[in-house]
Amino acid sequence: MNSPILVWMLYLNREVTTEEYDKCYELVHNTVPHAKNFVSNPSSGESLRQIIAQMMPLLMMRHRRIPRARWRDHSTHNGKHWIEQMLDHVNPEHHLRSMIGYHLAWENSLIGMVMVQGKQREVVNIGLGVKQVAVEPRDATVPTYVESLSHKLTDLEMSFLSPSLGDEVVLRRLCILLALKSAYIKAIGQPIGFDWSRLEFNISEETCSGDGQPLTGWEFRLYKAHLGVQRRGILVEESYQCVTAHFRGTPDSKFVWQDNNKDLESWVQFINIDQMTNVIPKLTD
């Protein structure tokens, strides 16, 4: 199970107009069957992120030059999506290995899609965690923010967040832990109400467990995204911690820290909202 992982990250580098929102909504409503029940709400940032995320598979398949009529989006009983390509003159074995598992995630100005190709059972257990490196609400202190999220952490994880380390280190570590947990939870298709404290990530030893039992066979890739976005005419800098989780079936779990931009560029691609809206007419083909 050594299929390469690819990630596309779209950042909302500027405000989206109501006209652009309506075009995106219409596209998703007409071309994405599982999004038929989405309610149009141009004033909602969450609605915009949700709709843009559903456009990512359309853009990805367009990039692969596969017409919309030649692929189907399926999902498992717990909501894990994969794409089946309906190609002519393909032998059965190649068809079985042509499934594309994907997961969508978003937070604030960043929307991501992680994907991997292979057999269906090999590609559905994939997830993406995105966590903005910032406190919420914005005027909260770091210790207060950590305390508000302590129910998602174990005692061991809380020990990594000692205030003596300083706000910057503590916030970064907290976001790493939350992004790791989010990626794993999404990869296995758990519902929103899942108890995050059942998972434990020992970052220093690069191990993880669930309900006290080692989690083996997983690959976690960790990387950062630094954005410059226009908000009401002002350039604002934002940082995000991102994690992909993919079950590869190996004897142990592996943590890959991607701090080198050149290495990151080989599997993570960043695009902005203009690059998406400019191709809307082509995404229905």
Side-chain angles (χ1 to χ4, degrees):
M1 296 174 60
N2 293 319
S3 302
I5 287 177
L6 295 175
V7 175
W8 283 11
M9 306 298 291
L10 182 148
Y11 59 101
L12 299 168
N13 56 300
R14 60 168 177 79
E15 304 287 347
V16 174
T17 67
T18 300
E19 182 181 2
E20 288 173 327
Y21 175 95
D22 291 340
K23 289 181 179 179
C24 293
Y25 176 82
E26 182 180 6
L27 170 69
V28 168
H29 183 76
N30 292 335
T31 59
V32 182
H34 57 268
K36 292 283 187 188
N37 295 328
F38 285 8
V39 177
S40 175
N41 187 355
S43 63
S44 167
E46 183 64 12
S47 175
L48 172 65
R49 289 184 285 270
Q50 184 182 42
I51 289 171
I52 295 294
Q54 298 301 328
M55 295 169 65
M56 299 285 271
L58 301 175
L59 183 65
M60 181 264 291
M61 296 306 288
R62 170 70 185 181
H63 184 75
R64 289 171 176 247
R65 301 184 186 280
I66 308 296
R68 182 63 187 89
R70 305 295 291 172
W71 58 274
R72 300 288 184 273
D73 193 316
H74 303 279
S75 66
T76 65
H77 69 280
N78 58 343
K80 297 300 300 173
H81 282 265
W82 84 94
I83 290 172
E84 178 183 11
Q85 304 176 68
M86 318 297 290
L87 305 177
D88 295 327
H89 311 300
V90 175
N91 67 62
E93 180 63 22
H94 180 79
H95 178 73
L96 286 174
R97 294 184 178 277
S98 68
M99 307 302 165
I100 302 172
Y102 74 88
H103 177 72
L104 307 170
W106 58 86
E107 182 162 299
N108 202 3
S109 304
L110 192 60
I111 303 163
M113 173 181 180
V114 59
M115 65 202 94
V116 64
Q117 183 170 320
K119 293 183 177 180
Q120 188 265 353
R121 67 175 182 273
E122 298 174 351
V123 301
V124 292
N125 292 126
I126 192 165
L128 176 64
V130 178
K131 185 72 185 80
Q132 185 175 4
V133 184
V135 297
E136 185 65 39
R138 292 296 184 252
D139 59 350
T141 64
V142 171
T144 300
Y145 186 53
V146 171
E147 181 60 30
S148 72
L149 294 167
S150 60
H151 63 285
K152 294 187 174 185
L153 306 173
T154 67
D155 290 341
L156 176 67
E157 291 167 339
M158 285 295 291
S159 73
F160 300 146
L161 307 176
S162 170
S164 63
L165 296 169
D167 286 353
E168 184 178 348
V169 172
V170 169
L171 184 59
R172 178 172 55 83
R173 288 186 176 186
L174 173 64
C175 292
I176 288 173
L177 288 168
L178 295 176
L180 278 165
K181 293 192 176 193
S182 177
Y184 175 79
I185 290 169
K186 299 300 175 56
I188 61 176
Q190 287 292 337
I192 293 176
F194 182 83
D195 181 1
W196 289 38
S197 67
R198 292 171 58 186
L199 304 175
E200 182 171 87
F201 284 86
N202 188 328
I203 297 175
S204 59
E205 296 185 7
E206 296 191 350
T207 59
C208 51
S209 62
D211 295 330
Q213 300 300 312
L215 297 177
T216 59
W218 289 87
E219 178 188 77
F220 299 97
R221 297 190 185 188
L222 301 91
Y223 63 98
K224 302 171 186 174
H226 302 288
L227 311 179
V229 298
Q230 287 283 344
R231 293 292 177 263
R232 295 176 181 152
I234 300 174
L235 181 63
V236 178
E237 293 184 0
E238 297 178 351
S239 294
Y240 294 81
Q241 178 64 55
C242 307
V243 177
T244 65
H246 181 217
F247 184 74
R248 292 195 180 275
T250 52
D252 300 305
S253 286
K254 180 181 180 182
F255 292 72
V256 181
W257 301 80
Q258 294 279 224
D259 294 323
N260 185 296
N261 284 339
K262 186 174 182 181
D263 292 339
L264 192 64
E265 289 171 359
S266 68
W267 63 283
V268 178
Q269 178 179 347
F270 286 88
I271 60 175
N272 61 37
I273 186 62
D274 296 296
Q275 290 170 282
M276 176 66 89
T277 56
N278 287 342
V279 296
I280 286 177
K282 299 179 181 179
L283 297 183
T284 57
D285 295 343

